[in-house]
Amino acid sequence: PGCTLWGACVALTVVDRSVASDSDAAIEVTGADTMVRNLLVTGQSPGLVAAGAATSLEIEDVIVAGASVRGVRVTGGATVTAHDLVVRDTAGSALDGTRGRGVQVEEGATVTLRRAAVERNRHIGVFVTDAGSTLTMTDVVVAETREQTSDGEHGVGLHVQSGGQVDATRIALERNLAAGAMAGSAGTMLRLTDAVVRDTLGDTHGRFGMGLGVGQGATAEVERVLLQANRTAALLAADAGTVLTVLDVVARETVSEAASGDFGRGVDVTAGARAELERVELTAHRDAAVFADGSSTSLVLADLVARDTQTRTSDGGGGTGLLAQHAAQVDVTRVVASRNHETGMVATGIGTILTL
């Protein structure tokens, strides 16, 4: 049988490592059938680490607050189930100011996360990396992820890369900085269902602020999602091999990037990416509601509304419902493009194909 660490409650049971460390955690779990519940983890060290293929851990009614480097880390093939968990205010390394992540899943680990709040962490709120690493999230808020102290960059709510797999249902990504969610690298999968991504602010240098960005050959599936008041792009797909599938989505009020005053698009597909969108409403974006650019870029749209697109902030230009250029291939079925500032739909450049 495993070990159980069971506190009285989060107010009365506190685990606080007495010596600051970037590597040694307040709680480290390396055994099977282990449980941690009803307590607060804090202190100037990583909060809780589960490591090793033989390790299985259940976390219940736990707050990890004010840890450093990582609030919760699951690594080396460990399996963790967590519910009623709060991870907040993780600080960067005392040595170099890097990281400060809320939850990190890596090296083939498996995590199931239900009813959780991941708030005010640094660099990345929830980070999943490496082939074989999987995270299933249900009823989770990831909010107010702040910049990395060392360079003032990042501030991403949810980031999956290098073959990691994330399935997220009923989640809210709110008031993060550089991006609400990002997926990168071939073999990476992000599935986002019944979610809200809003009020992404841009990093401390005034850059980015996208709702969801997919690139470098990753795959993302987005269904029944609201994206509102983000910056640069609500949905961005870039690079050859990248695939974005969108169904029953509303995206509204994306504004231009703060530093450049450019962009502010609803959907931006570029550099050879492929995207398919069905039953999508795009309202009150800037520059272009839908933008497709580049040879080998492919975009298929069905049952689309693109309306009230405004000019970009930088020069007062743009304001197009749909813009295809530089040999992009766009196929549109059943579209309404109305009240856009400049033009409803435009195809420009040698090799560009727009099929209606």
Side-chain angles (χ1 to χ4, degrees):
C3 177
T4 297
L5 179 59
W6 193 330
C9 66
V10 295
L12 297 178
T13 306
V14 179
V15 179
D16 184 348
R17 197 174 189 280
S18 59
V19 179
S21 173
D22 275 3
S23 56
D24 296 328
I27 298 176
E28 298 186 10
V29 177
T30 57
D33 301 322
T34 305
M35 175 178 286
V36 176
R37 62 185 304 181
N38 289 14
L39 51 80
L40 168 67
V41 182
T42 189
Q44 297 179 0
S45 68
L48 193 158
V49 174
T55 297
S56 58
L57 168 66
E58 181 178 352
I59 303 170
E60 179 180 352
D61 296 323
V62 169
I63 296 176
V64 180
S68 65
V69 186
R70 302 174 186 89
V72 175
R73 180 187 182 198
V74 187
T75 186
T79 299
V80 170
T81 300
H83 56 95
D84 302 293
L85 170 69
V86 175
V87 183
R88 65 188 180 209
D89 299 319
T90 308
S93 164
L95 297 176
D96 59 15
T98 60
R99 296 161 291 177
R101 299 164 186 159
V103 176
Q104 180 162 326
V105 183
E106 63 183 16
E107 296 180 357
T110 300
V111 174
T112 301
L113 185 60
R114 296 183 288 113
R115 296 193 303 274
V118 183
E119 302 173 324
R120 299 191 303 273
N121 300 288
R122 290 194 176 272
H123 191 232
I124 301 170
V126 176
F127 182 49
V128 181
T129 185
D130 303 324
S133 298
T134 62
L135 170 63
T136 303
M137 305 168 64
T138 309
D139 301 317
V140 175
V141 174
V142 184
E144 299 181 31
T145 310
R146 296 174 289 179
E147 73 280 3
Q148 186 170 241
T149 305
S150 60
D151 54 15
E153 296 188 353
H154 297 89
V156 176
L158 168 63
H159 190 180
V160 52
Q161 67 173 32
S162 302
Q165 311 283 306
V166 173
D167 192 336
T169 303
R170 296 194 302 274
I171 73 166
L173 303 169
E174 300 180 323
R175 300 182 303 282
N176 298 292
L177 295 185
M182 294 181 66
S185 313
T188 297
M189 165 62 84
L190 170 60
R191 185 175 292 107
L192 195 61
T193 308
D194 297 323
V196 175
V197 184
R198 62 187 169 198
D199 298 322
T200 314
L201 302 171
D203 70 11
T204 57
H205 305 295
R207 302 172 303 175
F208 315 122
M210 69 195 76
L212 167 63
V214 189
Q216 301 174 332
T219 298
E221 298 177 358
V222 180
E223 183 172 359
R224 297 190 303 275
V225 172
L226 171 66
L227 300 110
Q228 185 163 6
N230 300 291
R231 284 191 176 271
T232 309
L235 293 165
L236 171 67
D239 307 320
T242 297
V243 178
L244 172 64
T245 304
V246 178
L247 179 65
D248 297 322
V249 163
V250 173
R252 300 173 178 161
E253 302 167 1
T254 307
V255 298
S256 298
E257 185 182 56
S260 68
D262 290 332
F263 318 114
R265 298 164 182 160
V267 176
D268 190 332
V269 184
T270 187
R274 179 164 59 91
E276 297 184 6
L277 288 75
E278 183 175 358
R279 298 194 297 273
V280 174
E281 176 196 321
L282 304 172
T283 301
H285 301 285
R286 290 189 175 271
D287 189 37
V290 178
F291 180 78
D293 178 84
S295 175
S296 301
T297 296
S298 172
L299 175 59
V300 177
L301 301 163
D303 301 309
L304 170 74
V305 175
R307 62 191 175 198
D308 299 324
T309 310
Q310 304 168 48
T311 60
R312 54 186 172 266
T313 305
S314 60
D315 59 4
T320 302
L322 187 156
L323 174 58
Q325 65 181 26
H326 300 147
Q329 315 285 303
V330 179
D331 190 317
V332 184
T333 304
R334 296 182 300 276
V335 59
V336 175
S338 65
R339 301 194 303 266
N340 298 293
H341 179 83
E342 185 176 64
T343 312
M345 289 181 280
V346 175
T348 182
I350 295 171
T352 301
I353 298 175
L354 173 59
T355 303
L356 297 174

